[in-house]
Amino acid sequence: MLENWAVVPTCLPLVLRRCHTCASERFRANGKFRVNANHKLIDAWLLVLCTACGDTAKLTVLERVNVRSVRPGLLNRMHDNDPVLAAEVLQDPVVRRRNRIALDWDNAWRLDTGGSDHLDREVSDVIDVSVRFAARIPVRPVRLIAEGCGLSRAEAERLITEGNLVSAVRLSGKLSGDFTFTLKR
């Protein structure tokens, strides 16, 4: 039987960028946007706050774009400070590259195993699991499997070495896309 697990964000990730005021390297996105129009051109930024000193920095979302080329729905979402849009903007690789930022997903996600009873099964059972990511959250698959199955990370790595934990993807690095694995107990 195939079980379905989901990696779900719980909050916006921290933005890794150097603060010009205090030299801290962590910012928290509060979901607020700033939009500025100059004649027919528009600029838009996502505001982030330094976790150490509270200084505000702007992440460029739109820069000198013709107002007519911006979808009205997008503009309305920015004016409404839509938190879902803030999450989408942070995950956009173009925005991250333009602003030279990285994201820190530590403590910003949770694993939803759907309340499955895989911990109560017999030792000889085989568990097939499909893991789905609700957002592109880079996580080590070994950590997910250990957390979802109630194992230590060392135990999960031992199962990989013994061939009792197998997957088509490499389980030792970070992954942010859907994958499946089989656990033989």
Side-chain angles (χ1 to χ4, degrees):
M1 184 171 127
L2 183 69
E3 294 186 22
N4 293 306
W5 293 358
V7 178
V8 183
T10 56
C11 62
L12 293 174
L14 291 177
V15 175
L16 300 177
R17 171 185 171 165
R18 189 171 175 87
C19 178
H20 296 294
T21 305
C22 71
S24 171
E25 294 190 4
R26 298 193 181 286
F27 285 80
R28 182 166 309 287
N30 60 2
K32 296 198 186 301
F33 290 89
R34 176 157 185 245
V35 180
N36 185 26
N38 186 3
H39 300 288
K40 295 180 182 178
L41 301 177
I42 191 167
D43 295 307
W45 302 275
L46 175 63
L47 303 179
V48 292
L49 303 173
C50 177
T51 57
C53 69
D55 191 42
T56 302
K58 300 185 292 189
L59 303 180
T60 302
V61 178
L62 300 174
E63 187 172 33
R64 296 290 182 213
V65 175
N66 190 310
V67 174
R68 292 184 185 264
S69 68
V70 179
R71 294 185 327 270
L74 177 64
L75 202 51
N76 288 338
R77 289 174 72 191
M78 283 187 204
H79 285 298
D80 293 340
N81 293 319
D82 184 357
V84 175
L85 178 61
E88 291 170 8
V89 165
L90 285 175
Q91 293 179 36
D92 185 354
V94 174
V95 172
R96 289 200 318 257
R97 193 170 35 256
R98 177 188 299 147
N99 291 285
R100 296 183 184 104
I101 62 168
L103 301 179
D104 179 5
W105 281 97
D106 288 348
N107 302 318
W109 60 273
R110 68 178 171 79
L111 179 63
D112 181 11
T113 60
S116 59
D117 61 345
H118 53 271
L119 296 176
D120 301 331
R121 292 191 181 166
E122 294 295 320
V123 176
S124 63
D125 280 350
V126 174
I127 304 170
D128 290 319
V129 179
S130 172
V131 179
R132 181 184 54 80
F133 285 77
R136 294 194 57 78
I137 303 169
V139 181
R140 295 188 189 283
V142 172
R143 179 178 176 193
L144 287 178
I145 294 166
E147 183 177 318
C149 294
L151 306 169
S152 68
R153 245 199 246 167
E155 177 73 11
E157 289 173 359
R158 184 185 61 76
L159 289 170
I160 291 170
T161 305
E162 293 173 351
N164 291 328
L165 178 55
V166 294
S167 178
V169 299
R170 191 171 62 104
L171 298 174
S172 58
K174 284 195 175 182
L175 189 67
S176 59
D178 300 350
F179 70 98
T180 60
F181 69 90
T182 302
L183 174 62
K184 301 171 199 159
R185 288 184 145 183

